[in-house]
Amino acid sequence: MPILAENSFEFFSHSPHQTRRLGIHLGGALNAGDVICLEGNLGSGKTVLVQGIAQGWGAMDPVSSPTYMILNEYRRPDEQRLFHLDAYRLEKEIEAEFLDFDRMLTQGLIVIEWAERIKAVIPELHLWISLGYTGTEHRSMMLQPHGERYESLVEKIQYKLYGDF
Ligand SMILES: Nc1ncnc2c1ncn2[C@@H]1O[C@H](COP(=O)(O)OP(=O)(O)OP(=O)(O)O)[C@@H](O)[C@H]1O
Ligand SMILES: [Mg+2]
């Protein structure tokens, strides 16, 4: 059992729609420079969440997740970029220059599926989301902020979901 920070937040989704809605709230609160890491088995809902994030962020391009995809880029009218990385097929010892986080983070933000596979190269400050299968239509999502920026982000999401609690 991992030790969870006080400020982590667990969300229980009862449908793909709800997962997408969480993503929309999250996406609407994201800025250039943000790093969102998704961990969870096949079919746990990572891509559904990314679809919501992209929608909330204002992407002009649809989110796709073909099996060969490693890095996708979605645009917004203001020229910002959302980088969608799927680390499933990456070896652990990837070349650092391929994953040019610095460049990506000046142009926009990054969302990483299968982030646990490339933990060594992930920026120290990030939001970590662990997704779990809890039933046919049910998924658990644990949001763990690493850094103040992400602590306030998680608070903002909670507020958007539940109001003043
Ligand atoms: N509450 C839920 N939230 C998200 N997806 C759900 C939920 N209930 C059922 N599903 C279904 O589970 C599947 C999730 O697929 P998705 O592609 O998002 O998973 P993934 O974690 O990205 O998998 P992969 O590791 O293969 O990329 C979809 O078919 C979706 O309709
Ligand atoms: Mg996926």
Side-chain angles (χ1 to χ4, degrees):
M1 182 77 177
I3 298 163
L4 297 171
E6 242 177 82
N7 40 31
S8 59
F9 162 58
E10 191 160 30
F11 179 78
F12 295 97
S13 165
H14 299 272
S15 65
H17 172 77
Q18 247 186 351
T19 299
R20 193 184 247 273
R21 221 167 57 85
L22 174 68
I24 291 172
H25 284 308
L26 181 54
L30 294 177
N31 298 327
D34 285 337
V35 179
I36 310 297
C37 300
L38 309 181
E39 168 182 26
N41 282 329
L42 292 164
S44 58
K46 300 181 294 298
T47 300
V48 172
L49 188 62
V50 176
Q51 286 167 345
I53 291 173
Q55 186 180 337
W57 175 77
M60 298 187 289
D61 313 294
V63 169
S64 58
S65 187
T67 47
Y68 52 82
M69 187 276 273
I70 291 177
L71 184 65
N72 266 353
E73 203 176 310
Y74 314 120
R75 296 161 304 158
R76 207 164 69 168
D78 67 359
E79 295 297 319
Q80 261 200 60
R81 296 280 186 268
L82 194 168
F83 295 95
H84 177 197
L85 174 67
D86 192 326
Y88 187 67
R89 271 165 207 84
L90 286 181
E91 296 299 325
K92 277 216 167 85
E93 281 82 34
I94 34 158
E95 291 164 280
E97 65 264 32
F98 168 67
L99 290 178
D100 192 347
F101 283 108
D102 290 344
R103 179 187 65 85
M104 291 191 272
L105 291 173
T106 53
Q107 294 179 357
L109 54 112
I110 312 176
V111 182
I112 308 164
E113 294 193 42
W114 293 98
E116 69 273 27
R117 301 203 168 197
I118 55 163
K119 232 170 177 168
V121 299
I122 283 176
E124 190 188 340
L125 303 180
H126 58 262
L127 176 64
W128 191 275
I129 306 180
S130 308
L131 296 91
Y133 180 98
T134 50
T136 316
E137 291 266 280
H138 291 196
R139 304 289 187 272
S140 62
M141 285 155 214
M142 177 63 81
L143 283 67
Q144 292 174 262
H146 294 261
E148 278 176 26
R149 154 77 187 135
Y150 300 97
E151 283 173 21
S152 59
L153 187 61
V154 167
E155 273 173 25
K156 202 165 171 181
I157 307 301
Q158 282 176 288
Y159 186 79
K160 280 187 182 172
L161 288 167
Y162 306 120
D164 206 357
F165 57 94

